[in-house]
Each structure stands twice: as C-alpha cells, then as structure tokens.
Amino acid sequence: MEVALSAVFAAPSVVEFLEQIHKVRREGVGTLPPALVKRERDTQLPLSFAQQRLWFLDQWESERALYNIPVAFRLEGELDTELLRRCLDEIVVRHESLRTVFTDDGKGGAVQRILDSDSVAWREEDLGEISSSGEREAECRRILQEEAVTAFDLKTGPLLRALLVCLEEDRHCLLLTMHHIVSDGWSLDMLLRELSVLYKGHRSGHMVSLPALSIQYADFAQWQREWLQGECLEAQLSYWREQLGGELAVLELPTDHPRPQVRSSRGALVTGHIPAQLVERLEEVGRQEGATFFMTALAAFEVLLHRYSGQTDIVVGAPIANRNFMEIESLIGFFVNTLVLRVDLSGSPCFRELLARVREAALGAYSHQDVPFEKLVEELAPERDPSRTPLFQVMFVLQNFSGGELDLPGVCSSAEGVSTDTAKFDLTLELARGKEGDFLASWEYDRDLFTAETIERMHGHLCRLMEGMVADPDCCLSELPLMSVAEREQIVREWNATECEYPRDRTLVELFEEQVGQSPHAVALVFDDHQLSYGELNAWANRLARHLQALGVGPEVRVGLCLERSLEVVVGILAILKAGGAYVPLDPDYPEERLAFLVADSQASVVVSSGEARERLPAEGLRIVDLAAEHGQIAEHDESDLCVAMSPDQLAYVIYTSGS
C-alpha cells in the first residue's frame, strides 16, 4: 500500500495518519510499483534515465570534469595504507556500479558493462623527499587539484579512483574521485561509512562483513525502464505538464559580466555561515506552518532571488535522494533525481503566506518525484539556449546525510577542501548542518557571470532576509530588510555624495579644447573598430562647426542631430556647441510624424544627418547637412579652434522626453 506524502503532512498525529491508511485501503488506490529483484546478466543492461543523460553529455564534452565527485581527507596518525587499499578493493567487489563502464550499443545509445575487476584504481605519491614543509603542502594541493579535475573515460573506466599522498610518515592526504554516473551524495556517504567499518574491523583483527546486497544498480536501472512507461509514466507527467506548462520564466539575476553565448561551466565556490540561533528560529517558524526546514530555507532563498531579479515566477531545481525502497538504500549508484519547483511570489505576500505556497509546491513535487529530470526535459522540450541550463538556472540543495566522515582508528581525519572549479548552473546554494546546529552555506557560482565579492554579498543578504523573516513572519516580502546598516549607508549616502566644484565661469567647449591641448594624441572616442584621438576629434568638430556657421548657425540657434549611433554623433554635438548653437537630438527610429513635430516645435532650421536617417526627415523648409554627401566640403574648412563668444549660461541643447 502507498500513502501519498501529502497525506503524511496533512495527518501529523498517529490517529490521523491511521485514518489516512484506512481511507487508502477503502478506496483501493496507491498501488506500489513492481518489486525490485535481482535480474539476469545474460542480456544487455540498460542505463537508467539519469545515466543516459550523463552519457549523452559525455559524448560532447568527454574531456571535462564537470561531473567528477571528489572528496579529500587529511589523515594524521598511524595509517595502514595497505589495509586501506584492501578495504577499498572489498567495496569495489561489493558494488557492481564501481566496476561498471558504458559502451556503445550499436544503435546510438549505450549499455552498462560490469567488469570482473576486484581492485580499486589506486595511486600513491610520496613527497617525503621535499625538505620544505611549505613546498610539500603546495605540491600536495597541486596533485590533489590535478587529480580531481582529471576526466574519466566512461568506456574503459575505472570510474572510482583513489590517490594517497604521503607528506610524512604519519601524515597523508586521501582523495577519492568518482564519476557522477555511478555515484551521488548519498553514495559517497555510503562509501565512506563502509570504508570506516571495514578498516576498523580488519584493524582490530576481527572478522567483519557488511550486510548482503539483495540487488545491484543495474537491477534498479532495468526495473526503472520497465516500470516508468505507459499509464504509469503518463500519470506522473500530467502533473508536471500542468505545473510547468506555459512559458517558463528564465531567472534574470543581475550579473557582474555579460552572459556568454555558450556556457563554459567555469565555476568557483564561496562559503558562508548561518548561525545556530538563526537556524533554530527558522525551524520554529517552519513548525508553526507545518513546513520542514528544507521548505523554510527554500522559501528564504526564493525571497532572495525575487528581490534580486524583481520577478515573481521563480523556478528552482532541487535534488532528491530518490531512494524510496529499502533494497536500494545501501547501494552505491546514481539515484538522485532533480525536482523542478515553481513558486508564485506575486501579490506581495508575507513570508508566512509564501511558506504555504512553497510547502504546496514541494509536496506536489515529492508526490510525483519518480519522473526522472531527464524524462521531464524530453517531455516538456523547452527551447534550447546554449547560454542557459534547461527548465531552471539556479539549484537549492539541503544535505541530509551525515556529511561524509571517515572514521579510522588511530588516525585523526579531517576534510580537505578540493574543487573541480566547475559550475553546473548559474548558481547553486548548498546547506549542510554543522555539529553545533549551525549551517555551512556553500555557494557554487558561474565565474563567467559573477565575482566572489558579489556572492559573498549575496550570502549576507540571505542571512539578513532570514533574520527579518523570523522577526516578523507576517511582514511583506518587499519590506524585509536586505542590506546591513553599513551597506545602506554606503549605497544611499556615500555613493550618492557626488557634489564637486567645477569651473562655473567656463564653457564645455573651453574645457574640451583645454584637454585637447594637454593630450592631443590620447584616444578620446571609440566605436566598434574605429577610434579618434582628442586632436582628430577636435579637428573634425572645428571643420563641421565652420560649415554650420556658413549656414547661419550662431549663439542659441537650434540645430537638429539625427544620426545612428556612431562617432559622428559626438563630432556633431561638439561642432554645434563650437558654432555657438544648441543641439536637438532626434532619434532616427521615431515615426516620421514625431520627427517632423520635433523639428517644427524646436524651430530647428538646420539638421545634421546622414544615410537612412536622412530619409526620415521632413523634405521641405529644412536645410539638411548630409555628412556623407558633404564630406568633401566640410573637409576643406580650417581645423583650428573657432573664436565664438559664448557664456556658461547660454542654451546648449533642447531634449524632448517621452513624457517625464
């Protein structure tokens, strides 16, 4: 019998939950999928849906470490390196996934092939000959980093590598690296637990054996293929079509750099801290609303994204362990699935109301989590954009396993930071609970889009939003505090303190000509592949100014300027000012009626223009200076500075706005 997860949340007491069970029995709904059992190995073994996607991506980017999962530990004490290696060998024999490779099936796809190997891919590096401890540490970090980003060959394997670096007799670093196609976060935790149990048992001289595995990952993959089809798959997909139907919003966060046309997945990591006291208060708000900490923290993250982007339709990805059966809880393999959570933040809700919306979205997704993300992308077929990931661009992760500890007797073990310097999404926030009840926040970000300083500031904003939420859960999202007092003071006051003294008795033309005298050969203007020095810009402006003077342009005479964006726009502005006139900018994209009105209303009798823009101007009663057609005449004028009597308070320009 299967009871929906939403029913569990709707029935928090034992009595209410029993009533839900009786209801399911009476209505005869919620049948379980077929049993997970051992399959024969005499046929081709299919890939799971998740594996298939990673295999496909690997065909395009096989030399990248985007899906490497590295974990490193610093080991201090008496380490039995040979025993450690034998324990890893036992785990490789125990889990078929760690002996699996992926070969072409001859039909454009791939199949799993389980090797007979009974030993781990093991490598040792001895740095004892390096006399300087600082140099040893630097070389160790270099070796670990190089190994972590070394790509795997899915066709030949192995897809688990172990590297042991010896710094001194009692100081080592262990790096385990797996490909995501055979592992996930839960699997990594399982690997470390089994390694600890085996090492501890063998070290003490006792017989040690791990519980037998009733099935292997290949059995799960075949079961998934057989179960998720037909009516079963359609029933799940119908929910996602409704939830993600229509035009799915693309999250437009403000970035430090322009978005490249194709994602490079170059990433980096910034870590932050969420204090235990704040975590406790968040959990209390969640309990009041019948929400888990995942839902509460996700709601806070949604508020941050909403405040940064100004958008109310927010789509975030979230991984789920996807281990719903006892048979697969102890397996190492790629089980994790990605849920797409779409939340509506419109209507200026308070945090308490938003939490209810997030709770509803999460429960709906949990109840339909069996559809692999890969199948969902295939079904929804979003328009492909090589600059963005499909369906969502931001991921939220709450780690709920022990955190990947290695417990070896006689050895002090501590995690050693190592990264692949990649980012699967624009932004990923991962929260992991610490031993003191606090949370470590790891922000993985795309280096093509953001800087580390921006992400650090983002973490601070998230913490302040959380503080505001727990202080007043009924406060509207738009009123929640985002900036610290110091940051607000800097932005509102310091950066706006732009008053400065300037020579009020001199004109712009005089100041520009003074700069020309100081640096005539310096670059003054750049447009596309063209540029002008201060001297060249001044000379062309002087020639055009004399040309305009010959047409009657003098002090405060209005001169229209109708040009496409180009170097000539700046030349034209300077020339009109040098002649003593006032320029009237005319956008060539305006309707012809609008341009005619602006010319007439400003009383401009001369307009500087060129090319297609010229054709949009009124044909009668207007002297048009065509820069292209009259280039030769303009070039004949003297390029020296003009002597026009001007005062700082005379008219410089006339601008028509859209109504402001």
Side-chain angles (χ1 to χ4, degrees):
M1 180 190 310
E2 181 179 16
V3 179
L5 186 61
S6 56
V8 178
F9 277 80
S13 70
V14 174
V15 173
E16 291 173 310
F17 186 53
L18 283 174
E19 291 177 357
Q20 289 288 337
I21 293 176
H22 291 317
K23 180 181 177 181
V24 170
R25 283 176 172 171
R26 288 194 305 270
E27 296 177 357
V29 297
T31 56
L32 283 171
L36 269 164
V37 296
K38 188 80 174 176
R39 305 299 182 100
E40 295 295 331
R41 295 291 189 266
D42 55 357
T43 60
Q44 286 191 331
L45 301 173
L47 279 61
S48 68
F49 290 110
Q51 285 181 323
Q52 179 176 302
R53 179 166 179 263
L54 288 197
W55 177 85
F56 177 78
L57 292 174
D58 185 75
Q59 305 309 296
W60 294 91
E61 301 177 299
S62 60
E63 297 181 358
R64 300 183 62 187
L66 185 59
Y67 291 98
N68 283 18
I69 304 178
V71 60
F73 294 92
R74 187 172 290 271
L75 308 175
E76 298 190 4
E78 187 180 348
L79 178 68
D80 187 335
T81 58
E82 183 56 32
L83 175 59
L84 185 66
R85 176 175 180 170
R86 291 203 313 270
C87 292
L88 283 170
D89 289 343
E90 286 188 47
I91 295 173
V92 168
V93 172
R94 172 176 166 80
H95 293 276
E96 287 182 354
S97 56
L98 301 180
R99 295 181 279 118
T100 299
V101 295
F102 301 85
T103 57
D104 296 338
D105 63 1
K107 303 175 184 177
V111 293
Q112 299 191 54
R113 186 164 65 89
I114 301 168
L115 305 178
D116 295 328
S117 173
D118 59 358
S119 60
V120 69
W122 176 274
R123 181 163 70 95
E124 293 186 34
E125 292 281 350
D126 189 351
L127 305 183
E129 294 183 358
I130 301 177
S131 57
S132 167
S133 61
E135 291 180 5
R136 281 199 303 272
E137 290 290 342
E139 179 64 7
C140 179
R141 287 193 294 271
R142 186 196 68 79
I143 293 173
L144 293 179
Q145 185 64 31
E146 183 179 83
E147 170 67 11
V149 300
T150 299
F152 286 95
D153 187 337
L154 300 188
K155 293 182 180 179
T156 61
L159 302 184
L160 164 65
R161 300 191 301 253
L163 167 65
L164 186 69
V165 180
C166 178
L167 295 163
E168 297 176 17
E169 185 177 352
D170 59 350
R171 294 179 61 239
H172 297 79
C173 274
L174 173 67
L175 172 65
L176 301 174
T177 310
M178 292 188 286
H179 194 285
H180 202 352
I181 202 168
V182 296
S183 183
D184 53 23
W186 184 305
S187 298
L188 181 59
D189 192 50
M190 183 64 59
L191 173 67
L192 297 175
R193 276 192 282 166
E194 292 191 355
L195 182 57
S196 300
V197 169
L198 291 172
Y199 186 93
K200 188 180 300 182
H202 291 312
R203 183 72 169 173
S204 65
H206 298 126
M207 291 292 295
V208 58
S209 61
L210 298 169
L213 300 174
S214 61
I215 64 168
Q216 293 284 344
Y217 187 85
D219 302 311
F220 164 80
Q222 191 164 345
W223 168 88
Q224 184 190 56
R225 290 282 181 174
E226 293 173 354
W227 175 49
L228 277 178
Q229 56 182 317
E231 293 182 4
C232 174
L233 178 61
E234 183 58 31
Q236 296 258 345
L237 284 174
S238 61
Y239 165 82
W240 291 109
R241 290 194 196 99
E242 180 178 352
Q243 184 71 10
L244 305 178
E247 185 175 351
L248 209 57
V250 172
L251 186 60
E252 296 286 1
L253 293 175
T255 61
D256 298 300
H257 311 294
R259 182 179 293 275
Q261 293 184 344
V262 179
R263 292 189 74 246
S264 72
S265 300
R266 296 187 317 122
L269 196 67
V270 164
T271 57
H273 178 253
I274 302 177
Q277 185 178 11
L278 179 55
V279 172
E280 291 174 5
R281 297 170 69 192
L282 282 167
E283 290 177 326
E284 176 57 31
V285 173
R287 280 193 294 269
Q288 293 172 5
E289 304 305 313
T292 64
F293 183 75
F294 169 84
M295 299 172 185
T296 309
L298 173 60
F301 188 46
E302 298 264 7
V303 176
L304 178 74
L305 300 177
H306 162 65
R307 293 286 293 272
Y308 263 60
S309 67
Q311 297 171 250
T312 57
D313 184 8
I314 304 292
V315 183
V316 173
I320 190 167
N322 200 33
R323 295 183 184 242
N324 302 325
F325 303 95
M326 186 170 57
E327 294 87 348
I328 61 177
E329 287 186 354
S330 300
L331 286 182
I332 292 177
F334 186 14
F335 293 97
V336 66
N337 193 19
T338 301
L339 301 181
V340 184
L341 303 174
R342 186 179 192 178
V343 178
D344 177 16
L345 287 84
S346 63
S348 190
C350 64
F351 181 68
R352 201 184 300 275
E353 183 181 346
L354 172 64
L355 187 52
R357 298 182 189 182
V358 171
R359 179 180 182 271
E360 181 181 0
L363 290 177
Y366 294 158
S367 298
H368 301 85
Q369 64 177 281
D370 295 313
V371 177
F373 176 75
E374 297 71 25
K375 201 70 176 174
L376 196 56
V377 173
E378 178 184 327
E379 171 67 22
L380 297 176
E383 183 177 347
R384 293 304 176 121
D385 180 352
S387 70
R388 290 181 169 86
T389 49
L391 300 188
F392 64 87
Q393 294 77 50
V394 171
M395 173 80 86
F396 177 76
V397 183
L398 179 65
Q399 293 291 12
N400 57 2
F401 48 84
S402 65
E405 296 181 350
L406 189 57
D407 183 14
L408 307 179
V411 177
C412 179
S413 170
S414 59
E416 180 79 0
V418 62
S419 171
T420 59
D421 293 330
T422 59
K424 299 179 182 67
F425 304 96
D426 290 358
L427 187 67
T428 297
L429 171 60
E430 178 178 311
L431 301 182
R433 189 182 292 273
K435 295 181 179 179
E436 304 300 325
D438 58 342
F439 266 89
L440 175 69
S442 300
W443 299 78
E444 181 185 272
Y445 63 94
D446 190 324
R447 284 190 291 144
D448 288 339
L449 301 178
F450 304 104
T451 64
E453 292 76 18
T454 292
I455 304 302
E456 290 169 358
R457 187 165 56 249
M458 191 178 291
H459 175 75
H461 289 165
L462 176 63
C463 290
R464 275 181 283 283
L465 284 171
M466 288 177 168
E467 291 167 355
M469 293 164 191
V470 298
D472 184 6
D474 295 309
C475 179
C476 290
L477 303 184
S478 59
E479 298 176 5
L480 288 170
L482 187 70
M483 295 183 290
S484 65
V485 174
E487 191 176 9
R488 176 175 286 277
E489 178 70 17
Q490 181 185 52
I491 293 175
V492 175
R493 296 187 181 278
E494 292 180 23
W495 289 355
N496 277 316
T498 56
E499 316 92 76
C500 64
E501 289 300 320
Y502 62 93
R504 298 173 183 273
D505 59 338
R506 304 182 66 190
T507 66
L508 177 64
V509 169
E510 290 176 309
L511 294 173
F512 174 75
E513 290 175 350
E514 182 179 293
Q515 181 64 36
V516 172
Q518 294 174 358
S519 52
H521 303 297
V523 175
L525 196 58
V526 176
F527 181 77
D528 289 341
D529 297 329
H530 307 286
Q531 64 182 35
L532 290 176
S533 67
Y534 276 98
E536 292 169 331
L537 174 58
N538 191 52
W540 275 109
N542 288 336
R543 293 189 185 100
L544 179 56
R546 286 188 165 85
H547 192 69
L548 294 175
Q549 278 186 327
L551 298 176
V553 176
E556 298 196 342
V557 171
R558 288 85 183 271
V559 180
L561 191 67
C562 187
L563 291 168
E564 299 288 349
R565 185 180 292 271
S566 59
L567 297 176
E568 286 76 12
V569 171
V570 180
V571 173
I573 291 174
L574 275 173
I576 295 169
L577 294 176
K578 281 173 172 283
Y583 68 90
V584 182
L586 305 171
D587 190 336
D589 291 332
Y590 279 169
E592 293 183 10
E593 295 80 2
R594 174 69 172 169
L595 291 173
F597 167 78
L598 297 181
V599 169
D601 191 71
S602 65
Q603 299 178 0
S605 58
V606 177
V607 175
V608 176
S609 188
S610 186
E612 295 182 3
R614 184 190 189 288
E615 305 302 321
R616 304 183 61 79
L617 296 168
E620 299 180 1
L622 190 63
R623 173 62 168 93
I624 299 176
V625 177
D626 189 324
L627 294 181
E630 300 177 42
H631 177 77
Q633 300 174 44
I634 296 171
E636 292 177 357
H637 289 288
D638 185 359
E639 66 178 35
S640 62
D641 292 335
L642 289 75
C643 295
V644 178
M646 286 183 281
S647 64
D649 58 353
Q650 80 177 52
L651 185 66
Y653 58 82
V654 178
I655 291 181
Y656 290 78
T657 71
S658 59
S660 59

